Amino acid sequence: MFPQLLTDKNQWIVWKFEQYPGDKKPRKVPYYTNGKKRFGKQGDESDMAQLSSFDGAKSALDYGNYDGLGLALIRGDGLICVDIDSNADQEQVKKIIAGLNSYTEISPSGNGYHIWLTGDTRTFKNNDVGIEVFSGSQFLTMTANPI
């Protein structure tokens, strides 16, 4: 399933697709396992108190009305995720995945990838090339569909 490095984190949430007026496609909206939407300052005391163990999130997914699991990135947690979208150059994608040589899974759309690494960096994205790097904030959807 997922690497133990990730399942050991107490930073799990669940998410579901929600359609908002004016949006072309549904959003992936994060929820705590207690059923509340995740909002507010990421990584503050209230947020941290509501994040879940992997088992708790898996149970919420199994018995709740959610579309998937998610992992919250928190400042200082030592995690980085490279999010590669479908518009990225596929030859470059192959090189990135091979070069990083880390846990990589297919995103929920089936057209992108999430590559998990240890370390710390700044969050940045470039929608033109379809690559985002997250560290210290954000949440990423998880599929347990590794490549």
Side-chain angles (χ1 to χ4, degrees):
M1 183 157 225
F2 301 111
Q4 186 173 352
L5 173 72
L6 300 180
T7 59
D8 282 351
K9 298 288 186 181
N10 199 56
Q11 297 170 209
W12 289 86
I13 57 176
V14 288
W15 61 271
K16 61 182 167 180
F17 287 113
E18 293 182 1
Q19 186 67 49
Y20 286 80
D23 286 355
K24 292 180 182 178
K25 61 182 185 174
R27 297 180 191 182
K28 298 175 198 98
V29 179
Y31 283 81
Y32 299 111
T33 58
N34 63 14
K36 294 180 183 175
K37 274 188 185 181
R38 184 180 189 227
F39 67 92
K41 185 166 177 159
Q42 295 178 15
D44 72 4
E45 190 174 315
S46 175
D47 182 53
M48 294 298 290
Q50 295 181 81
L51 296 175
S52 176
S53 67
F54 171 75
D55 289 337
K58 181 77 171 85
S59 181
L61 176 63
D62 290 343
Y63 298 104
N65 186 26
Y66 302 103
D67 294 305
L69 294 170
L71 188 61
L73 295 172
I74 303 298
R75 187 169 309 283
D77 66 7
L79 295 176
I80 298 169
C81 186
V82 179
D83 181 2
I84 302 176
D85 296 329
S86 61
N87 65 320
D89 176 87
Q90 292 306 301
E91 287 305 311
Q92 194 68 14
V93 169
K94 290 176 188 175
K95 290 177 184 176
I96 292 169
I97 291 172
L100 293 176
N101 191 30
S102 191
Y103 176 73
T104 302
E105 63 177 33
I106 298 170
S107 66
S109 70
N111 299 318
Y113 303 94
H114 294 160
I115 307 169
W116 288 90
L117 308 159
T118 57
D120 188 36
T121 190
R122 65 180 179 84
T123 293
F124 63 91
K125 63 185 191 174
N126 185 324
N127 290 331
D128 293 333
V129 296
I131 298 176
E132 302 166 294
V133 176
F134 297 103
S135 180
S137 66
Q138 193 59 277
F139 89 96
L140 279 293
T141 57
M142 304 294 291
T143 64
N145 190 4
I147 61 162

